[in-house]
Each structure stands twice: as structure tokens, then as C-alpha cells.
């Protein structure tokens, strides 16, 4: 880390940029005009939002653009929005979210060239207003930079984002403005995609022409990473830190080559040096990825940021192709905000439209049908029917979707400009994805039922009484269910077979379901915040879990079990056919921070990661935790302002989380290996 | 076939030999090292472990207990509503234990890892371990031992495994007796077997503040290793304050005769001067 980066990092760590934020809100005028089409209203609001910004600079600034406006009012008033909501399906906040824009195209073309292609249609006018707003904004920053003596910044802002970037620094500054403007358009969970792929040509050029050496390139990269953290607390998310700024490193290129390169490695190193929550690092790997790359990833894991999350090309690419993605596009996958597989520049997908509550469904079936069934097969058939019904019912609600148009974002997507069609109306891929919560807990319930009721002497009545009483007065039975029954995560077929069946049923349940845009549904193993929500609807369960115990986050073992160890865990979780659940959702393993004492230990953890990949795992994320530190941070938040933890698909500052999420992380830490 | 008493099986034991390894902790030890952090490994008999601190005295365990003195029958374990009780010490047949270990073979193969027998003192149950090893063909087996064993037995072990990790806790015999309860004569004889043999070995020294972390002891220890034969390296394991954590659970007192709050000195020179690879864990 150079002196200059250290200075910028300290400035941000101390939240000094917060003092530059303005107290007065953006005035609402032009864009609430009801006679205007909605795309025009979005464009005018972008213009208003950018005009309301005052250029500010950090001491030693490298990349310009800092938010000073805290709030962004909606383009609709409350009544209008309520009317729209009453007649449409609205996903989350109703704006564009979780997309992977094609930054490479816009950085390489420049906004001027795109502007020249615009015609006179109302939609193209909205695009033009958006482009002009961004160019005006850049010009104002350029003027201010000149005035304040930031000559290099001023010089660069004369060129980008108007013209094609000609250097690594220009490309990064262009990206910074483009990405910044997306947030000002009201879009959120704006991912950064395959950053190393679309940025490497610029770096390569500069290194070859002596414009940069590796050290100066690293300084630029780190300054850019820092800039991703500057405004992120203002971005919308379920929790502070859930802002979707993911990057994806390495992996196969669209033409089938290995995409891991110098910049991929620099990103891993920059993330390790800076220790910030953004950007969130994903690393694509496959069976041929050398151990050294896993070791570099593990060096990052050791720091406790929750990065990297690994994706397995060997599983993901064929799985995406099986869902109808072209080979070239499947090879080019990136990640949505958390773990969902999406295609840059070509997808208007909603990979988190809902969640199948697997544990709740299995619990409901046990309560309703167990007394009447003679075999596990019969019970599983009821589970299958219930799952199918749940998915169908959910899909029925996803009709008449409305998303607030985003003409600026649309510039980054295939054919939107050419066809004067907003991205929210669809793109090449229009699939919906569903998470699946609590598969391990569901498998544990089924394994426990099989052992104690169907094969054992436990009566259904006694079991239900125990569950109704939350095991009060039935402690020995709870102990038996919790500790003496097979558990998913211990490489025990008696439990693992049910996880395999449940995930296959989930995939079958979504197969054939289509949405109104001709897209399909994808099944996944992620949980998002549903692990908290679904658990709250669940009483005591047949796996010995007491009411109130959370479900595991993502694809992970139940929280109330004793694990045999990480090798068994990985073997268990690699057993289901994970190609069938490629909406994503990582196996999540917590390691105590004492594990990583030396390079040999790092190499061993890396070998464990590789094992999951080699066994057909789809996605993996490791956390390093120190339980005592987390408990202390709850008591003394002021002393842990910069303590970073992984929550579900993202990393955030521990002390900024709601207590239920903090508590969940602490109970996960108790399972740590 | 006789069975072995195991008090823990730990997957992914990082500091017990090369690659990804599963370590089997055999119950029973002839030494009584004051710094022992696995007190449940000392007795050969199964024992009840009980986390006293969280107990609410609800009495459920007493209601089911049929004995005046604890026999580690385990009946109370499932009656504790807080799950505070467990039995340390499970009898395994050689075949069942081998099957359990073979389950992780894919990880051993992928990382040049294997199985480590530790303890307690694994040599106390060597007949049983030999039977287990017979069921583990093509798996790299290592042993972690105090070295306190009969020479013939030690030699048998040395020929049956691919790596030996042996402690040399103190070079001085009097001090050794004082802090571990036994003399080091047999241990040093067995060290000679390691030096003269073909089996790679690692020497481990737990660094205990004020007991063996002085320059003199480390110099004398290093001297014992001269003409080291197939020595892989020397590993120093600094004492950790959490060593006493499990004593209360097993109804024992942790009263070591040294300053547990001091950090041990780490002196590498005696080993470095002799070109022995040395590392601190």
C-alpha cells in the first residue's frame, strides 16, 4: 500500500467524507410531472440528482466522484406508486436491481458515440438526457478539479466517460462515474461484473507502453476499490453492507480460454491489503486451477472479510447451458449481488424473486401426513407435491411485473439502445430464480423421522407432543433427535440422501414453470434473509431443533448439530447434483481464526476448497471468525467499527447489523472448525 | 478382536503431519505433564465430561443416576437439557474405526495427507492400532507419541508408520521426572532408534514458561539430536493459557507448578546452529 492509498484509506476509515454530505434534500419538481412517460421521469430525476451534487475531493484524491446527497426521492408520489403497486407485481423496491451491466462496452465506446446513435423517439430522448446529465456532471467535476489543482483528474475528466478510455486510469475513472450514475438513477445492487476481463486490456496496454509499472497500477486499483466504499452506506440494502458491489475474477472467457490473469491476482492482493467490505470478491475456479491460486484466495479468507466466494466453472457452465444459456454466455457468467449466476449485458433476470421454504414444507408435511404414511417414500411423495404446489402458487403471483424504467442502465444492455427498449421490459435472458432455505435442517428432520418413528419405537403422538411443547418435558427425546440421529454434514448417507432428493425435487418443481416474458425459473441453494424469516415461522422441529433456533444461512449444516469435521461436511454437501440448483447459494463454512497460523495451514485450507470443487461443488464461501471477538463487539461496538463479517451473500460491518443477524453469526461461529 | 478406547476423532487436524489428516486420540497416558491440555486423555477408562459453568442445577441428571460414584455409564448424558454432559472414551473395533477413517480418503489422496494416531499415548494401545492400520492400506499413517515406551514396541511402531512425531519435553532427567511424572531415559533411548532408523521423524518441544524454555535446556535438547538421521524438522509449541480449560469438566484441578501467565521464550539458535530445520507452531 502506498503512502497515498494509506492516506485515502485512513480518511475514509474515519468517515471524514461524511462531513461533506449535505443536509438539504433534493428538490422534487420536474420529474414528478404526471404527463411525462415514466422513462422520461427517470431521466429527469437522474439529471436533477446529478445537478444537486457538488464536486468534492479527498486529500490526495485519485478518482473523482463522491455522493453528497443522502436521499434520492422516487419518481412517483405516494398515491401514484400505491396505484401501480395495486395492479402490478413489484419486485422489492420496484427499480432495476441485481443486474450485471456491460461496462466494457460503454467504457470502450464512450458516451458520445452512444449519444450519436440516438434518434428522436421519446425513449431515445430520455437516454440522451441521461447521457447529457452524466457528461455535465463530469464536466463540473473537471472544472472543480482544475480549480483545486487536481490537474491529472481534470485532464482525465476531459476525456472520459465522453470518449473511449485510452488508459487504465481513464478506464477506472470512467467506470467510477458510470457506476456512480447508476446509483443516482435509482438502480441498486449494481454489481461490477467481470472486472478483470473488461479492465485488463487497458492495464496491458499501459504496462506494455511503459505508462504504468505494476506498482503504480496497483495504486490505481486500490484507489478504485476505496472509491467503491465511499458512498456504499447510502445505497439501499436489506442491511448495511448489502449493496451488491460484487466483482468476479478469473474463469473461462466466452471463447473458452482461461481468464485468470495478472489483474485477477492484483485484485485479490488489493482486497487483502485494503480490508474493506467492497468490492465483494468472487473467484471463478475449476478442476485445473492450480493450488497457488487457491492459496492466494485462502490468504484473503484468513483476513476474515468473507472473501473470496468461489464459483466452479465445471459445474456452473454446463448447468447454465442446460437451462438454455448459449455456451458463450454461460462461459461469461458473473455474480449478482450475492451468489446468483447472471450474464453480463444480456440478462434482465430476477434471481431472487422468492424462496422455497424447504424446512417449513417438510415440517408441515410431517405434521400433517406422518400419522398416515407407512414409508419414507410415501412421506417424500407428499413433500414433492407440496413443493410443486408452493412453486406454482408463487409463480402465479409473479405476473404483471412492473419495474421503473432505467434509460441510463439500459445503455449497458444488448439491443436496448438499438431497439429503443428499456432494460426493464426484458433482454436476452429473462429468467427468475428462487432461493431454497433450510435444506440441511429438512434433511435432518427426515433422517430423524426415519430412524426414530419409521424404524424405531417413537410414536407419532409422542413426537408431536414434544414438538408442541418445544421439548419441555421431553429433553431426552430432544437429545436423541439432536445428537443420536444422522445429520447432513457428517457424510452420512442416511441424512444426505434426503438433501439430494429435496434439491432434485426443487429443481423438478420449477422445471416447466415460465414467467410472462418466456423466462424460466431456476432453483437455488441460497437463503438471503429468508433464513431468518422462514425460521421465525417455524416451531420446534423433528431434528431436535427448538423453536426460535435460526435456520442455517445459505447451503450449510443445521446450527444445532455436532459436526464430524470439514472433510465430512464437504463430502455431504457435494453429494446433491448441484448443477440442478445453479441459481446459486454457497456452501458456507466457518473456520476459527486460529486455523491459519502458517503457510502449511493455508495450503491445507486451500486443498479443502479444491476438494469441494473437485467433488462437484458449485459455490463455496469460507469465513474466519473469532467468537470471543464478536461477543465483545456486541458489548463494545465503538471499539469494533471496522470489524467485517460475512452475513449471507455479502460482507458488512458487524456493529452495523441488526442484532438477529449478529446473533446468527455468533451461533455459526460455535460450529466453527 | 479387542477394541480400542478413543476419546476424540478430529478431521482436518492441521498441525498433525502433512496434508489433510484425521487424528485419532487414543485414551490413556503414562505421563502426567503439568501442562497437559487433554486431561481426558490421561486415564484409560471412559470418563464423564461435564461443563459445570453453565449448569442450572435442575437435577435431571441426578434423577436418572443409579450409582453412588460415577461409573461413566453415560445415562445422564441424554437427560441434561442443556447438553452439558458427554462421555470421553468410546470403544471402537479396529474395523469400525478404519471404516470411519477411510471415509476421508478422498481428502487424504488429494492432499498427500492421511491418518495420525495421537493421544494420550497411542503406544499404550499399539496392538489395537496395528489392527486398524491393517485395514488402512495405501493411507499415510503418522504417530504422535511421548516416546515413553518399551524399545521393542517402539521399534514395531517405527516400522509400521510413515512419520513419527515425538516430544522431547526436557533434556534433564530430574526435571523431566518432576514435571511429567516419569524419567526420560526410555524416551532418549527411543530417540536413538529414530536417529538410526529410516522412518522420517519430527521432534516437538512444548515450550513451557520457566520449565524448559531456557537456553540451557534447548541447547541440551539440540545436542541430543546430533547426527539426526531422518529428522524432518523440530517444532516448538509455545504453551497456551487455555491448556487448563478441560480440567474442571473432568473433575480435576489444574494446578501447574509454573507461571501460566508468562509467555514462553522462543530460542531457535541451538537448532539453527546445527542446521536443523525448526519452526514455531
Amino acid at each position: 500500500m502506498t503512502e497515498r492509498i494509506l492516506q485515502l484509506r485512513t480518511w475514509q476509515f474515519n468517515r471524514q467524507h461524511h462531513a461533506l454530505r449535505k443536509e438539504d434534500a433534493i428538490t422534487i419538481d420536474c420529474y414528478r410531472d404526471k404527463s411525462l412517460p415514466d422513462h422520461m421521469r427517470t431521466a429527469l430525476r437522474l439529471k436533477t440528482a446529478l445537478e444537486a451534487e457538488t464536486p468534492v475531493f479527498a486529500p490526495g484524491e485519485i478518482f473523482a466522484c463522491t455522493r453528497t446527497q443522502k436521499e434520492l426521492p422516487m419518481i412517483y408520489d405516494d398515491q401514484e406508486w400505491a396505484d401501480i403497486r395495486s395492479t402490478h407485481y413489484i419486485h422489492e423496491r420496484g427499480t432495476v436491481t441485481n443486474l450485471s451491466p456491460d461496462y466494457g462496452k460503454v467504457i470502450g465506446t464512450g458516451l458520445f458515440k452512444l449519444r450519436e446513435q440516438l434518434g428522436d423517439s421519446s425513449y431515445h430522448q430520455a437516454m440522451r438526457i441521461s447521457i447529457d446529465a452524466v457528461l455535465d456532471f463530469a464536466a463540473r467535476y473537471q472544472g472543480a478539479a482544475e480549480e483545486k489543482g487536481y490537474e491529472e483528474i481534470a485532464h482525465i475528466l476531459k476525456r472520459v466517460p465522453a470518449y473511449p478510455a485510452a488508459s487504465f486510469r481513464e478506464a477506472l475513472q470512467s467506470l467510477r462515474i458510470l457506476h456512480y450514475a447508476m446509483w443516482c438513477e435509482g438502480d441498486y445492487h449494481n454489481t461490477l461484473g467481470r472486472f478483470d476481463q473488461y479492465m485488463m486490456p487497458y492495464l496491458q496496454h499501459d504496462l506494455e507502453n511503459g505508462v504504468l509499472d505494476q506498482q503504480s497500477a496497483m495504486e490505481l486499483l486500490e484507489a478504485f476499490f476505496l472509491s467503491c466504499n465511499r458512498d456504499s452506506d447510502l445505497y439501499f440494502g436489506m442491511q448495511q453492507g448489502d449493496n451488491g458491489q460484487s466483482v468476479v475474477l478469473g474463469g473461462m472467457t466466452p471463447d473458452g480460454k482461461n481468464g485468470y490473469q495478472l489483474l485477477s491476482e492484483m485484485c485479490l492482493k488489493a482486497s487483502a491489503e485494503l480490508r474493506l467490505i467492497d468490492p465483494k470478491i468472487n473467484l471463478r475456479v475449476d478442476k485445473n486451477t492450480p493450488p497457488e491460486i487457491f492459496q492466494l484466495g485462502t490468504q484473503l479468507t484468513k483476513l476474515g472479510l468473507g472473501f473470496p466466494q468461489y464459483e466452479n466453472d465445471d459445474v456452473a457452465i454446463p448447468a447454465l447451458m442446460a437451462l438454455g444459456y448459449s455456451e458463450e454466455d454461460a462461459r461469461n457468467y458473473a455474480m449478482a449481488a450475492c451468489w446468483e449466476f447472471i450474464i453480463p449485458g444480456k440478462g434482465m433476470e430476477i434471481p431472487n424473486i422468492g424462496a422455497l421454504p424447504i424446512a417449513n414444507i417438510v415440517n408441515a408435511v410431517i405434521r400433517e401426513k406422518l400419522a398416515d404414511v407407512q414409508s419414507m417414500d410415501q412421506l417424500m411423495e407428499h413433500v414433492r407435491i407440496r413443493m410443486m404446489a408452493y412453486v406454482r402458487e408463487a409463480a402465479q403471483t409473479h405476473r404483471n411485473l412492473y419495474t421503473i424504467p432505467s434509460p441510463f442502465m439500459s445503455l449497458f444492455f444488448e439491443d436496448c439502445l438499438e431497439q429503443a427498449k428499456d432494460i426493464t421490459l426484458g433482454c436476452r435472458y429473462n429468467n427468475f430464480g428462487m432461493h431454497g432455505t433450510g435444506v440441511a435442517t429438512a434433511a435432518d428432520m427426515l433422517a430423524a423421522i426415519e430412524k426414530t418413528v419409521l424404524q424405531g419405537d417413537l410414536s407419532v403422538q409422542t413426537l408431536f407432543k414434544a414438538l408442541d411443547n418445544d421439548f419441555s418435558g421431553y429433553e431426552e427425546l430432544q437429545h436423541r433427535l439432536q445428537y443420536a440421529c444422522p445429520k447432513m454434514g457428517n457424510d452420512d448417507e442416511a441424512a444426505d440422501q434426503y438433501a439430494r432428493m429435496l434439491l432434485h425435487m426443487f429443481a423438478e418443481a420449477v422445471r416447466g414453470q415460465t414467467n410472462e416474458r418466456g423466462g424460466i425459473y431456476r432453483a437455488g441453494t441460497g437463503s438471503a434473509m429468508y433464513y431468518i424469516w422462514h425460521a421465525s415461522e417455524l416451531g420446534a422441529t423433528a431434528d431436535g431443533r427448538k423453536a426460535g433456533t435460526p435456520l442455517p444461512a445459505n447451503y450449510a449444516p443445521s446450527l444445532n448439530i455436532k459436526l464430524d469435521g470439514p472433510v465430512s461436511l464437504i463430502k455431504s454437501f457435494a453429494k446433491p447434483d448441484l448443477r440442478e440448483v445453479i441459481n446459486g447459494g454457497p456452501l458456507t463454512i466457518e473456520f476459527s481464526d486460529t486455523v491459519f497460523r502458517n503457510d502449511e495451514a493455508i495450503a491445507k485450507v486451500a486443498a479443502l476448497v479444491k476438494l469441494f470443487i473437485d467433488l462437484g461443488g458449485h459455490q463455496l464461501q469460507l469465513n474466519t471468525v473469532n467468537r470471543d471477538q464478536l461477543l465483545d463487539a456486541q458489548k463494545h461496538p465503538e471499539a469494533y467499527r471496522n470489524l467485517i463479517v460475512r452475513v449471507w451473500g455479502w460482507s458488512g460491518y458487524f456493529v452495523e447489523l441488526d442484532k438477529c443477524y449478529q446473533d446468527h453469526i455468533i451461533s455459526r461461529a460455535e460450529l466453527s472448525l | 478382536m479387542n477394541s480400542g478406547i478413543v476419546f476424540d476423532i478430529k478431521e482436518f487436524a492441521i498441525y498433525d503431519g502433512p496434508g489433510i489428516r484425521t487424528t485419532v486420540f487414543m485414551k490413556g497416558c503414562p505421563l502426567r505433564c503439568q501442562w497437559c491440555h487433554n486431561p481426558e486423555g490421561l486415564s484409560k477408562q471412559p470418563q464423564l465430561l461435564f461443563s459445570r459453568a453453565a449448569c442450572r442445577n435442575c437435577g435431571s441428571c441426578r434423577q436418572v443416576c443409579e450409582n453412588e460414584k460415577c461409573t461413566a455409564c453415560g445415562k445422564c448424558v441424554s437427560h441434561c437439557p442443556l447438553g452439558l454432559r458427554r462421555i470421553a472414551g468410546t470403544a471402537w473395533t479396529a474395523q469400525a474405526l478404519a471404516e470411519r477413517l477411510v471415509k476421508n480418503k478422498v481428502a487424504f489422496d488429494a492432499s498427500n495427507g492421511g491418518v495420525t494416531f495421537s493421544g494420550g499415548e497411542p503406544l499404550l494401545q499399539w496392538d489395537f492400532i496395528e489392527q486398524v492400520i491393517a485395514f488402512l492400506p495405501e493411507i499415510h499413517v503418522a504417530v504422535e507419541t511421548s516416546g515413553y515406551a518399551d524399545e521393542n514396541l517402539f521399534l514395531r511402531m517405527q516400522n509400521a508408520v510413515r512419520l513419527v512425531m515425538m516430544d522431547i519435553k526436557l533434556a534433564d532427567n530430574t526435571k523431566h521426572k518432576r514435571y511429567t511424572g516419569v524419567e526420560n531415559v526410555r524416551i532418549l533411548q527411543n530417540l536413538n532408534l529414530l536417529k538410526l532408523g529410516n522412518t522420517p521423524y519430527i521432534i516437538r518441544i512444548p515450550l513451557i514458561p520457566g520449565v524448559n524454555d531456557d537456553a540451557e535446556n534447548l541447547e541440551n535438547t539440540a545436542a541430543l539430536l546430533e547426527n539426526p538421521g531422518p529428522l524432518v524438522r523440530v517444532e516448538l509449541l509455545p504453551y497456551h493459557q487455555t491448556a487448563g480449560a478441560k480440567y474442571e469438566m473432568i473433575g480435576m484441578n489444574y494446578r501447574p507448578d509454573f507461571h501460566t501467565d508468562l509467555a514462553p521464550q522462543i530460542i531457535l539458535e541451538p537448532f539453527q546452529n546445527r542446521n536443523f530445520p525448526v519452526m514455531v507452531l
Side-chain angles (χ1 to χ4, degrees), chain A residues 565 567-568 571 597 600 604, chain B residues 11 14-15 17 19 78 103 233:
Chain A
V567 176
S568 294
K571 282 185 70 190
R597 253 179 280 167
E600 280 182 29
K604 289 180 186 188
Chain B
E11 286 185 6
I14 299 190
Y15 301 106
S78 64
K103 271 173 71 180
R233 66 183 182 213

Side-chain angles (χ1 to χ4, degrees), chain B residues 246-267:
Chain B
K246 287 194 273 188
Y247 280 76
E248 202 191 345
M249 292 177 75
I250 205 153
M252 291 168 70
N253 289 318
Y254 184 59
R255 290 206 194 109
D257 185 15
F258 58 89
H259 289 288
T260 55
D261 47 353
L262 288 179
Q265 301 185 82
I266 294 171
I267 302 172

Side-chain angles (χ1 to χ4, degrees), chain A residues 2 59 70 104 203 240 258 260 293 298 339 362 474 479 509 572 596:
Chain A
T2 62
K70 292 189 238 177
L203 176 58
Q240 198 59 259
N258 175 12
Y260 186 89
I293 294 178
T298 308
W339 49 73
V362 167
Y474 296 85
H479 193 278
S572 263
F596 303 89

Side-chain angles (χ1 to χ4, degrees), chain A residues 478-506:
Chain A
Q478 188 205 352
H479 193 278
R480 190 169 151 208
L481 296 169
Q482 187 174 347
Y483 296 112
C485 287
K487 301 290 169 184
M488 184 187 187
N490 284 338
D491 190 14
D492 184 341
E493 199 49 27
D496 297 344
Q497 60 172 335
Y498 290 112
R500 190 191 286 128
M501 284 184 232
L502 290 166
L503 290 181
H504 178 66
M505 279 179 188
F506 183 12

Side-chain angles (χ1 to χ4, degrees), chain A residues 475-476 479 490-491 564-568 571 591 594-595 597-598 600-601 604-605 607-608 611 615, chain B residues 11-15 17-20 77-81 100 103-104 106-107 110-111 233 279 281:
Chain A
E475 283 78 11
E476 196 182 8
H479 193 278
N490 284 338
D491 190 14
D564 282 351
V567 176
S568 294
K571 282 185 70 190
F591 282 100
T594 55
V595 162
R597 253 179 280 167
N598 57 27
E600 280 182 29
K604 289 180 186 188
V605 175
L608 204 58
L611 180 67
L615 292 177
Chain B
E11 286 185 6
F12 201 61
I14 299 190
Y15 301 106
I20 295 176
V77 170
S78 64
H79 283 264
C80 174
R100 167 67 186 87
K103 271 173 71 180
N104 289 354
V106 60
S111 65
R233 66 183 182 213
M279 67 186 292
L281 290 186

